[in-house]
Amino acid sequence: MTGTLYGIGVGPGAPDLLTLRAVALLGRLPVLAWPAPPDGAGMARTIAAAHIPAETLEIPIRLSFRPERDDTDGAYGAAAEAIAGHLVAGRDVGVLCEGDPLFFGSFIHLLDRLSGRFAVQVVPGLSSPMAAAAMAVRPLAQLEEAVAVLPATRPDHQLEPLLNAADSAVILKVGRHLPRLKALLARLDLLAHAVAVERATLAGQRIAPLAEVDELSYFSLVLVRR
């Protein structure tokens, strides 16, 4: 019998936000893979570190995280081959993923490559919009309100109708698009209703009105509610 591939959401950053199911799996899986920078462990591995036994075989998926993502296919292709070898041999493999595996998750790269060949299970994790809303104590939606989840990388002419149609929005991947995003929200009379949340649940967390923010790190998002 072949092994099972597990996508394991490890949450937004604080280790005590790992689910009980994720912790139980980490203690028994013989093989773990996780995305990482060229050197070091990467955030997903760091979040889960206390629950990974010393004997676990680990597969770091080394990525440059350049905006061009020109090494993504190669890195995940190689990782998929390595993981497939363990699954064929009957070993279960877990893939750590920041937030939730199926919400903009890096796990999807492996799911696309392996799901037709092997059994797959997903352990949901606390995603960044929920964590940021909780830290900022800002409701995402109630009753019939609609929420838009938008990457700031999309052009203004696509973002504008989506923002206009929603009662609230979560805007991800802000980074270098911050000046353009602020200008767009100001034009839509939404800037005063926008809050930036950086490094939610982690040391160094910052929550501030977006109008007062001039720079945001990769681990940031914007919450907007009319």
Side-chain angles (χ1 to χ4, degrees), residues 78-98:
E81 288 186 17
I83 290 169
H86 290 288
L87 294 172
V88 167
R91 290 183 286 273
D92 294 339
V93 179
V95 179
L96 305 182
C97 187
E98 298 159 26

Side-chain angles (χ1 to χ4, degrees), residues 103-153:
F103 183 76
F104 292 97
S106 55
F107 174 70
I108 297 171
H109 292 291
L110 296 170
L111 180 67
D112 289 342
R113 290 168 167 83
L114 298 171
S115 60
R117 301 162 55 193
F118 303 101
V120 179
Q121 293 188 30
V122 174
V123 179
L126 179 62
S127 61
S128 58
M130 283 66 183
M135 296 301 99
V137 195
R138 286 175 62 95
L140 288 173
Q142 64 175 350
L143 300 176
E144 291 83 24
E145 290 181 344
V147 182
V149 180
L150 309 170
T153 51

